[in-house]
Amino acid sequence: MNIQTGKTGVVLLIAAAIAITAGIAYYIQSNRKLPEGLIAASGRVEGDRIMAAAKFPGRLREVRAREGDELKAGVLVALLEDDSVQARAEQARQMVNAATAQLNGAEASLDVAEKEIPMAITVADAGVSQAEAMLIKAQAVALQYKRDADRHQALYEKGVIEKHRLEQAELALKVADSDQRAATENVRRAKEALAQARLGQQKIQARRQEVAALAAQKQRAEAAVTESGAALKDMQIVTPAAGVVLTRLREPGEVVMPGGAILEMVNLDQLYLKVYVPESRIGQIRLGLPARVYVDSQPDIYYDARVSYISAKAEFTPKEVQTTDERVKLMYAVKLTLIANPGHKLTPGLPADAVIRWKENTEWQKPRWH
C-alpha cells in the first residue's frame, strides 16, 4: 500500500512539472509575439532559374563552366560538334563564289550589249535613210531616162535622128532601171538590218532577266551562308543572362536535344524569399509592403525586401513551415523580392525568416514565432 501511494505521488509530481513547464513555455511564447503591424513568416531563398541550353541537337564537344562559377551574360560555356555544319557552310560559300562569277559575267555582257545595240540601231537606221535617198535618186534618174528614150523614139520615127541615138537612149534607160532595182533592194536590206538591230533590245531584256535570276541565285547562296553561320554560332552555347552556375547538367560526349539544358544558373542579384501567410492575415498584405529578411548564419544583419507577389489561391503549407499546427491551415504564398544581395551572401535554398510591416509606424523587430 505504501509503495502504491509512493508511485501515485511521483506521477502527480511529474504531471505538475509538465504543467508548470507548459505554462512557462506558453508565457514565454505569448510574450514573443510580434506587435500589431508586423507579420513573421519563414521560407527559403529562391531565384528564377536561367538555363543555358542548346538550340540544335548535337554531341557536346566541350563544357567550360562548373558549379559556383559566376558568369556574365553572353559568355561561351559549351561547344557542340559542328563538322557537318562546317561542311554545309563551306558548300554555301562555294555556291556564293560560283554565283558571283556567273553574275559578274552576265552583268559585263549586259553592259556591252547596252552600249553596242543602240549604236547598231543608229547605224542601221542611218543605212535605211541612205538607201532610201539612193532609191529616190535612182527613181528620178530612171524617170528622166524614160522620158529621154520616149523622146528619142518619137524623133527616130520622124527620121530626125539616127537609130544609134535611139539605141543609146534605150541603153541608158535600161541602166537606170537596173540602178533603181538595185536601190530598191538596198532599201529592203537596210530595213532588214534595222529590224535585226532592233531585235537587240529583246536580247538586252533577256540578259537583264538573266542578271536578275543570277542575282537572286547569289542572294539564295548568301542566305545559305548566313544560315550556316547562324547554325555554327548556335553550336556555341552562351549564357542568356548573368548569374551563378547552380548545376552542370551535361558532360562532354553527351548528346543533347533541341532545348536541352547544359547549365542551370541563377542571378544572385534577383533573389526572393517565398513565404506563407495564414488565411486570417492575408488581408493585411498588399503589394509593395516593406519586409526584412534574416538568416541564422548572419544574426546581426537583415536584408531589405518588398512584397512582389501574393497568390490568389490558398493552399496547404509545405513542410518547411515552422510548426505542425500551422501545416494543417490554409496559407497563401507570398514572394518577398530582395532589394539587394551585397557580396552575394544569400544563395538559393538558404532558409530564412522574414518580417513584413503592414503598418507604417510600427517599429521593426526581429521575427518571433508563436
Side-chain angles (χ1 to χ4, degrees):
M1 184 70 178
N2 290 336
I3 295 174
Q4 184 67 30
T5 302
K7 289 182 179 180
T8 302
V10 171
V11 171
L12 291 174
L13 286 173
I14 293 172
I18 291 174
I20 292 170
T21 302
I24 293 172
Y26 177 79
Y27 174 79
I28 293 173
Q29 292 194 14
S30 296
N31 283 276
R32 291 176 64 191
K33 292 182 181 179
L34 289 173
E36 184 73 7
L38 299 179
I39 298 175
S42 66
R44 290 187 179 274
V45 176
E46 298 181 22
D48 294 331
R49 295 301 192 264
I50 303 168
M51 297 297 182
K55 187 174 181 180
F56 292 102
R59 187 181 300 276
L60 275 173
R61 174 178 291 172
E62 184 180 352
V63 180
R64 298 183 176 180
R66 293 191 175 277
E67 289 86 347
D69 289 351
E70 189 168 349
L71 305 173
K72 295 180 180 179
V75 174
L76 179 63
V77 292
L79 294 170
L80 293 175
E81 293 182 356
D82 57 4
D83 295 341
S84 60
V85 181
Q86 288 279 13
R88 290 199 301 271
E90 179 59 28
Q91 182 180 12
R93 285 191 290 269
Q94 291 178 0
M95 290 175 61
V96 169
N97 293 337
T100 301
Q102 291 177 340
L103 178 60
N104 290 341
E107 286 176 339
S109 178
L110 173 62
D111 184 59
V112 171
E114 287 178 335
K115 292 177 181 178
E116 287 184 345
I117 290 174
M119 186 180 299
I121 291 174
T122 300
V123 171
D125 189 52
V128 170
S129 298
Q130 184 178 6
E132 287 177 340
M134 295 298 293
L135 175 60
I136 291 172
K137 182 179 179 181
Q139 288 173 339
V141 171
L143 179 61
Q144 182 62 45
Y145 281 129
K146 177 68 169 61
R147 290 173 181 172
D148 289 346
D150 290 343
R151 189 169 54 253
H152 279 73
Q153 179 68 36
L155 292 173
Y156 174 74
E157 289 176 355
K158 291 178 181 180
V160 176
I161 61 173
E162 297 177 357
K163 187 175 181 180
H164 74 275
R165 295 279 302 276
L166 173 61
E167 291 174 348
Q168 289 176 346
E170 289 176 345
L171 180 59
L173 176 60
K174 288 181 180 178
V175 172
D177 286 340
S178 177
D179 290 343
Q180 182 179 347
R181 287 193 298 273
T184 302
E185 179 64 17
N186 288 338
V187 169
R188 185 187 68 78
R189 291 179 179 175
K191 288 183 177 180
E192 285 184 354
L194 177 60
Q196 187 68 27
R198 285 175 175 167
L199 287 177
Q201 294 288 2
Q202 298 179 4
K203 293 180 180 180
I204 289 177
Q205 185 60 29
R207 289 180 182 178
R208 285 175 179 168
Q209 292 175 351
E210 180 185 4
V211 166
L214 289 172
Q217 182 179 338
K218 180 183 176 183
Q219 288 179 349
R220 288 194 296 271
E222 289 173 339
V225 169
T226 301
E227 182 181 359
S228 59
L232 280 173
K233 187 175 180 180
D234 288 331
M235 297 293 103
Q236 302 176 356
I237 301 166
V238 300
T239 52
V244 172
V245 178
L246 294 179
T247 310
R248 176 164 154 158
L249 302 172
R250 295 288 184 271
E251 296 297 329
E254 293 187 48
V255 175
V256 295
M257 294 294 105
I262 311 300
L263 300 176
E264 182 183 19
M265 304 168 56
V266 67
N267 189 339
L268 295 183
D269 291 317
Q270 297 179 3
L271 300 180
Y272 60 86
L273 181 67
K274 187 175 183 180
V275 300
Y276 290 86
V277 175
E279 189 176 24
S280 60
R281 308 205 62 182
I282 194 64
Q284 298 166 343
I285 304 295
R286 63 182 182 275
L287 294 176
L289 282 179
R292 289 183 176 181
V293 175
Y294 301 83
V295 293
D296 292 340
S297 60
Q298 305 168 48
D300 298 329
I301 65 172
Y302 61 84
Y303 295 86
D304 289 317
R306 292 277 177 186
V307 176
S308 59
Y309 169 81
I310 303 172
S311 175
K313 295 181 180 180
E315 57 183 294
F316 288 105
T317 50
K319 293 180 180 181
E320 56 261 29
V321 172
Q322 292 284 346
T323 67
T324 304
D325 178 60
E326 288 180 339
R327 286 202 295 272
V328 300
K329 296 178 182 178
L330 285 176
M331 310 281 274
Y332 284 79
V334 175
K335 283 185 180 180
L336 307 177
T337 296
L338 292 157
I339 294 174
N341 183 15
H344 293 169
K345 294 179 180 179
L346 296 182
T347 56
L350 190 67
D353 299 322
V355 174
I356 304 170
R357 186 168 73 176
W358 58 277
K359 280 190 175 181
E360 186 175 354
N361 295 327
T362 304
E363 291 187 5
W364 287 102
Q365 293 187 21
K366 294 183 71 171
R368 300 175 182 177
W369 299 105
H370 58 278

